[in-house]
Structure formats: C-alpha cells, structure tokens
Amino acid sequence: MNGDELTAFLGVIMLTRFGIAPRRVHAFIRDGASANGVATRNIKLVCNRSIDVICSSHTACLAGGKLNKLSVPLASEFVSKWSQMMSSSNIAKQEWKAMV
C-alpha cells in the first residue's frame, strides 16, 4: 500500500467506520516508513490539529536491525531487550485497552 492508498484507507476507517471527528485527532504515531509519512502528511490536511510522532520503539528497532547487519552486538542486545520489555508491559497493554 502506498501513501495515497493508506491515506484513503485511514480516512475511511477513522472518519466513516469509527466516526472519529477530525478535530478530535491529536496525533498520529507511526513508524518511519515513507508510505506512513506520506499518509500522515495527507491526512493532517483534514485533521489539522494533529501532530506527527515517529515511534521511538520502531525507530530503535529499525536502527538496531541495521546495526545488527553491521555486526554491532550491543545494539542487537539492546533492541532485543527493548522489544521484550515493550511487548510484555502490562501497563502499556492496559493503557491501550482503555483507549480503545
């Protein structure tokens, strides 16, 4: 899915299916994929109160993956521990369930 297709998809899901008013959208949190950046820039034209936040976990994971390919073991270990911590956090899961 390219950025324009993702924009259309998000618009349908967010605005139509879930009925979220554009003025109530405060942020888009995403990974650094270029299609996500295009989609965020496009949809911010409608949701003009929102900000664009690149997720630090995704950034750390992507950077760690690149460093791992360069044989930097400390980075690989850090990313592995970070992923374990984030995926097993009951507090993070509870916060997500409360928002949804």
Side-chain angles (χ1 to χ4, degrees):
M1 195 177 291
N2 67 32
D4 292 329
E5 293 167 338
L6 186 55
T7 302
F9 176 76
L10 287 172
V12 168
I13 296 296
M14 186 178 68
L15 303 173
T16 307
R17 184 168 179 201
F18 293 123
I20 300 171
R23 72 182 188 291
R24 298 197 51 157
V25 177
H26 298 284
F28 290 97
I29 302 173
R30 62 179 181 88
D31 68 12
S34 60
N36 294 341
V38 169
T40 301
R41 283 190 297 280
N42 289 343
I43 206 158
K44 281 182 62 173
L45 298 172
V46 175
C47 303
N48 56 6
R49 293 183 180 184
S50 66
I51 60 171
D52 181 12
V53 179
I54 299 175
C55 176
S56 60
S57 294
H58 280 99
T59 302
C61 187
L62 290 171
K66 297 289 184 191
L67 290 173
N68 192 33
K69 288 180 182 178
L70 297 172
S71 297
V72 181
L74 183 60
S76 179
E77 183 179 351
F78 170 78
V79 170
S80 175
K81 299 292 184 193
W82 179 269
S83 295
Q84 287 174 353
M85 178 184 71
M86 296 309 289
S87 66
S88 64
S89 169
N90 288 327
I91 293 171
K93 289 176 189 173
Q94 289 170 2
E95 289 293 324
W96 176 252
K97 287 179 182 178
M99 289 187 330
V100 178

